């Protein structure tokens, strides 16, 4: 099981590869706002844990295991952002809030949040009812 830091790297690497077709150490460092030397150390750990294959000066590729985990991490992040929007969290707070909680939730909790998001998205009246409750609570 990857550590929260490993998860951050895997998520970012997965996104870079999906968007650009590749992920270089410099791209990862820029995206995560860390030094390239830190990226190199983490990429070596991820290689050792078989999440990716890293060859110095040649780049890296995610293994099947790394792709599976990366995809799930991106799903988790996007789901939590959707959840935050759904419950009315202000847009400027969403990214930071998700970053703050995503590593602390079990996959069971993530799946239940997914069920809840689906429940609300399947019937827009439910979202309106939630907004009504929130407005009422703000007035009290």
């Amino acid at each position: 099981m990857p550590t929260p830091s490993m998860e951050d790297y895997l998520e970012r690497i997965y996104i870079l590869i999906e968007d650009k077709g590749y992920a270089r150490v410099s791209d990862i460092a820029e995206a995560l706002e860390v030094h390239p030397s830190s990226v190199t150390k983490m990429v070596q750990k991820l290689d050792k844990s078989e999440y990716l294959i890293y060859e110095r000066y040649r780049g890296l590729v995610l293994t099947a295991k790394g792709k599976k985990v990366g995809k799930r991490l991106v799903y988790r992040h996007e789901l939590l952002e959707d959840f935050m929007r759904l419950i009315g969290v202000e847009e400027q707070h969403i990214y930071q809030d998700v970053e703050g909680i995503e590593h602390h939730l079990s996959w069971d909790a993530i799946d239940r949040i997914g069920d809840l998001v689906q429940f609300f998205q399947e019937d827009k009246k439910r979202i309106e009812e939630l907004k009504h409750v929130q407005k009422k609570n703000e007035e009290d």
Side-chain angles (χ1 to χ4, degrees):
M1 199 56 136
T3 65
S5 182
M6 291 168 89
E7 287 182 345
D8 286 338
Y9 278 83
L10 283 169
E11 181 181 1
R12 184 54 52 194
I13 291 166
Y14 181 86
I15 291 169
L16 284 167
I17 291 173
E18 286 292 302
D19 291 348
K20 296 171 67 173
Y22 61 90
R24 298 180 314 214
V25 167
S26 58
D27 298 323
I28 300 163
E30 182 181 331
L32 293 174
E33 300 177 351
V34 296
H35 292 285
S37 58
S38 299
V39 174
T40 300
K41 287 177 188 172
M42 180 57 78
V43 164
Q44 290 168 342
K45 285 181 186 177
L46 292 169
D47 179 77
K48 191 174 182 177
S49 298
E50 300 179 346
Y51 290 106
L52 55 80
I53 299 167
Y54 173 66
E55 292 182 34
R56 196 169 179 177
Y57 306 117
R58 297 202 58 190
L60 55 95
V61 252
L62 288 170
T63 61
K65 175 183 173 181
K67 284 179 189 173
K68 181 179 178 182
V69 171
K71 186 175 184 176
R72 185 116 163 109
L73 295 171
V74 169
Y75 163 77
R76 175 182 72 186
H77 190 98
E78 291 173 350
L79 173 67
L80 291 172
E81 284 187 352
D82 290 346
F83 176 68
M84 294 291 177
R85 282 186 192 95
L86 183 89
I87 62 172
V89 174
E90 292 181 27
E91 196 64 37
Q92 72 255 23
H93 300 295
I94 290 175
Y95 182 81
Q96 199 65 33
D97 287 348
V98 169
E99 286 296 309
I101 65 170
E102 66 184 340
H103 300 294
H104 302 285
L105 296 172
S106 69
W107 285 105
D108 183 45
I110 295 297
D111 290 340
R112 299 301 66 82
I113 290 170
D115 296 341
L116 188 61
V117 168
Q118 180 182 347
F119 173 79
F120 278 99
Q121 289 175 338
E122 285 177 349
D123 185 347
K124 300 298 180 192
K125 284 188 255 173
R126 295 171 183 156
I127 295 172
E128 292 307 314
E129 290 171 6
L130 174 62
K131 288 179 181 176
H132 176 74
V133 168
Q134 290 170 328
K135 187 174 180 178
K136 184 180 172 221
N137 286 339
E138 287 174 7
E139 292 171 358
D140 289 348

